Amino acid sequence: MDSMSTAILLLLLALIYLFLTISSKGKGQLPPGPRPLPFLGNLLQLRSQDMLTSLTKLSKKYGSVYTVYLGPRRVVVLSGYQAVKEALVDQGEEFSGRGDYPVFLNFTKGNGIAFSNGDRWKVLRRFSVQILRNFGMGKRSIEERILEESNFLLAELRKTEGEPFDPTFVLSRSVSNIICSVIFGSRFDYEDERLLNIIHLINENFQIMSSPWGELYNIFPSLLDWLPGPHRCLFQNFGRMKDLIARSVRDHQATLDPESPRDFIDCFLTKIAQEKQDPLSHFHMDTLLMTTHNLIFGGTETVGTTLRHAFLVLLKYPKVQARVQEEIDRVVGRERLPALEDRPAMPYTDAVIHEVQRFADVIPMSLPHRVIRDTAFRGFLLPKGTDIITLLNTVHYDPSQFLTPQEFNPEHFLDASQSFKKSPAFMPFSAGRRLCLGESLARMELFLYFTAILQNFSLQPLGAPEDIDLTPISSGLGNLPRPFQLRLRAR
Ligand code: HEM
């Protein structure tokens, strides 16, 4: 070996040594995991086109708590009901921070609820929960709004007249209208440009974020910022959505009466005015735009995607569909729409909806968390600021919690006397301090839409039920069902 090659080799060794020393600094006593390479981290062990499967596989080798490097970023991964519950519930405060999520963070700059930390997160979350409650969330008034909206949806569905159609668009428009009416003050007509834009932008972004490009962007954001690809569309869409909200905010400003707020935006604008003199206030135009965006984004695609999964399951298992319809007919009849007060008398339907949410596992890796102080956890010491991924899919498919986790089986939520049975491992909305802010609204929507549709229609597949594939077409931020068409037969 000549002296030049020796020098290069020595330099390389020195660099690797330096990397290993730096990356082990501030490590506390981190859980074990695969050894990372400089810059690439554990990319060789991860297939970015299917991060979920790769991370789940690693948990089989390294246990329910392990360390992995997503590129240069160090993350601790938790899997299985017990570990996730101990972190999010038993040590909820420590694990309540929000970890890096570059696809969102580069847009929100930490200004909304979902991607902020510390005081800002607490203040914005408390305020938003309060305002949403004032506008009926979790109460009878929002139920009435959902029932009104389901009537519009049923009218749209009748127009299909038994012809095959893809339900994505029609469901999203209707679901989105509920949260939009709270944010903007009134529902949109289904042909309104603004609603169509919102649906299109959110749907496209949810798809990109659930694709390999979304995953890759989260690992190497600064590199991908230089490269062409669908991820560029993400930020254009985010920008358009922000413009759309900003236009509505300007209209609100022009007609605002602080004494009688019409909606979420009015309340936020009033709060901005009240705290104008406070330089440390968290209420300003950017937090308004991003909080509003978080609520619309969170409230649109998740519920729509869950309903699409539910449709697919019902198409595949006609007996389940028939039994739900039998229960609706017996408890509610056909003269009025099902209401929330019917739910306790409908254990089978309730169990089916819970099982759809478990089985579909719509947000399989939740959103990343972060420990907000040095945290002792299961014999390890996680340094303050360590990002945490909670694999909700491993909770929903945990064999210690569900008898036949790989199968769609409503019995998971029924006891021996066929009464509804809760499961602590039911976590589609996550758990602890960061629990989905829209949980109560989403659960109302799912029950009321699901039952209204099945009361009025039977869902029929275009081919043989056994050929229906329930595995997602892609998994990332979301578990997306395969595209499909169906026919509706009026009952
Ligand atoms: C089936 C429907 C839904 C599912 C499966 C779902 C799931 C989730 C999950 C897994 C998280 C992350 C929790 C964590 O970090 O631990 C989350 C957060 C959030 N969701 Fe939902 N969600 C749904 C509906 C909604 C609705 C209807 C809204 C709006 C009203 C909403 C607004 C939010 C917000 C604002 C956050 C961030 C909370 C925070 O960081 O403090 N979600 N959701």
Side-chain angles (χ1 to χ4, degrees):
M1 200 184 281
D2 62 23
S3 55
M4 180 60 112
S5 316
T6 314
I8 292 176
L9 186 67
L10 283 176
L11 188 67
L12 267 177
L13 286 174
L15 279 175
I16 291 176
Y17 174 76
L18 199 68
F19 169 78
L20 292 175
T21 322
I22 290 171
S23 65
S24 65
K25 260 201 184 151
K27 260 189 170 178
Q29 275 166 278
L30 281 169
R35 198 164 185 84
L37 292 171
F39 183 66
L40 292 179
N42 293 117
L43 209 63
L44 300 183
Q45 287 94 346
L46 301 169
R47 288 180 302 137
S48 72
Q49 68 269 31
D50 193 353
M51 178 78 77
L52 178 63
T53 313
S54 306
L55 291 181
T56 309
K57 236 186 213 161
L58 284 176
S59 71
K60 302 227 161 74
K61 181 159 181 201
Y62 292 98
S64 48
V65 187
Y66 68 89
T67 307
V68 71
Y69 287 77
L70 306 179
R73 187 175 138 224
R74 187 176 67 206
V75 175
V76 168
V77 180
L78 306 183
S79 60
Y81 166 68
Q82 201 53 40
V84 171
K85 177 234 167 214
E86 280 171 29
L88 297 187
V89 181
D90 301 349
Q91 289 181 254
E93 174 68 12
E94 284 87 341
F95 283 85
S96 67
R98 177 63 76 219
D100 273 351
Y101 202 63
V103 279
F104 276 112
L105 211 64
N106 285 5
F107 168 62
T108 65
K109 310 270 186 275
N111 275 322
I113 311 166
F115 301 95
S116 52
N117 269 308
D119 224 30
R120 171 162 298 179
W121 165 65
K122 279 190 188 144
V123 169
L124 290 177
R125 183 167 169 126
R126 203 179 312 126
F127 176 80
S128 303
V129 168
Q130 186 57 50
I131 300 305
L132 292 177
R133 235 181 246 144
N134 292 351
F135 283 103
M137 198 159 108
K139 296 191 206 154
R140 191 146 181 90
S141 50
I142 202 81
E143 178 179 8
E144 277 160 19
R145 228 177 255 225
I146 301 171
L147 287 174
E148 182 197 352
E149 197 58 53
S150 5
N151 268 320
F152 286 110
L153 173 67
L154 292 175
E156 283 302 298
L157 293 177
R158 270 184 212 110
K159 288 186 196 161
T160 64
E161 294 183 330
E163 291 303 314
F165 72 104
D166 176 337
T168 310
F169 186 53
V170 66
L171 288 176
S172 299
R173 275 193 309 187
S174 184
V175 167
S176 189
N177 238 347
I178 309 278
I179 189 70
C180 282
S181 69
V182 176
I183 302 277
F184 299 114
S186 60
R187 70 178 294 278
F188 293 117
D189 185 85
Y190 283 158
E191 301 311 323
D192 191 306
E193 255 334 280
R194 288 164 297 178
L195 180 64
L196 298 180
N197 262 332
I198 290 174
I199 303 301
H200 166 72
L201 297 173
I202 292 182
N203 188 274
E204 190 165 70
N205 271 12
F206 199 62
Q207 279 188 30
I208 301 173
M209 285 186 208
S210 304
S211 76
W213 282 97
E215 295 295 319
L216 211 58
Y217 190 88
N218 278 330
I219 301 179
F220 298 115
S222 9
L223 183 66
L224 260 78
D225 278 339
W226 293 93
L227 298 178
H231 59 290
R232 294 200 165 267
C233 187
L234 267 177
F235 298 106
Q236 283 164 11
N237 287 349
F238 274 145
R240 282 194 203 128
M241 190 72 183
K242 188 173 167 185
D243 290 345
L244 193 149
I245 298 170
R247 266 200 302 279
S248 174
V249 168
R250 280 195 295 276
D251 292 345
H252 277 70
Q253 279 170 318
T255 51
L256 178 69
D257 173 4
E259 297 307 315
S260 64
R262 296 156 292 188
D263 50 36
F264 186 85
I265 293 180
D266 271 0
C267 294
F268 209 111
L269 284 171
T270 307
K271 188 81 176 163
I272 293 178
Q274 281 165 359
E275 299 204 355
K276 206 168 55 192
Q277 306 304 338
D278 177 359
L280 299 178
S281 170
H282 296 295
F283 295 91
H284 42 76
M285 194 47 76
D286 277 338
T287 51
L288 165 56
L289 296 180
M290 290 308 149
T291 299
T292 306
H293 179 270
N294 287 172
L295 293 173
I296 300 176
F297 195 95
T300 296
E301 207 47 36
T302 47
V303 178
T305 305
T306 308
L307 285 172
R308 281 190 345 261
H309 277 288
F311 274 19
L312 261 186
V313 161
L314 295 175
L315 292 171
K316 188 167 179 76
Y317 301 113
K319 283 189 185 150
V320 173
Q321 179 173 182
R323 198 168 154 193
V324 171
Q325 285 174 325
E326 182 279 319
E327 193 171 69
I328 296 172
D329 291 349
R330 181 163 39 81
V331 176
V332 183
R334 305 273 180 99
E335 300 304 313
R336 61 168 178 90
L337 281 178
L340 287 174
E341 63 185 18
D342 297 316
R343 185 153 51 185
M346 299 171 72
Y348 186 73
T349 305
D350 209 4
V352 168
I353 297 173
H354 278 74
E355 179 65 354
V356 165
Q357 286 206 268
R358 178 199 75 81
F359 187 76
D361 190 33
V362 165
I363 311 287
M365 296 183 271
S366 189
L367 296 176
H369 282 236
R370 173 172 292 171
V371 286
I372 61 167
R373 59 179 81 107
D374 288 351
T375 299
F377 185 70
R378 291 195 156 201
F380 304 109
L381 185 64
L382 313 180
K384 176 179 172 181
T386 302
D387 279 5
I388 311 287
I389 291 182
T390 51
L391 293 178
L392 295 181
N393 73 310
T394 61
V395 178
H396 290 141
Y397 284 77
D398 188 332
S400 76
Q401 299 297 312
F402 298 103
L403 200 61
T404 53
Q406 301 300 330
E407 284 170 27
F408 178 82
N409 178 5
E411 297 292 324
H412 287 142
F413 294 94
L414 290 168
D415 67 13
S417 61
Q418 296 292 292
S419 298
F420 179 75
K421 176 182 78 177
K422 277 190 180 167
S423 162
F426 176 76
M427 289 190 190
F429 302 100
S430 184
R433 306 282 160 99
R434 286 274 179 175
L435 175 76
C436 169
L437 185 146
E439 178 187 10
S440 66
L441 176 62
R443 283 167 44 78
M444 277 188 177
E445 289 177 5
L446 288 175
F447 179 80
L448 295 173
Y449 275 112
F450 185 81
T451 50
I453 292 167
L454 287 178
Q455 181 192 44
N456 286 276
F457 301 100
S458 287
L459 280 49
Q460 297 182 325
L462 301 192
E466 24 330 332
D467 293 339
I468 293 173
D469 186 351
L470 297 180
T471 59
I473 189 162
S474 65
S475 296
L477 171 62
N479 257 334
L480 300 186
R482 288 165 196 280
F484 64 98
Q485 294 205 330
L486 78 160
R487 283 181 214 278
L488 294 180
R489 188 170 51 76
R491 298 181 70 219

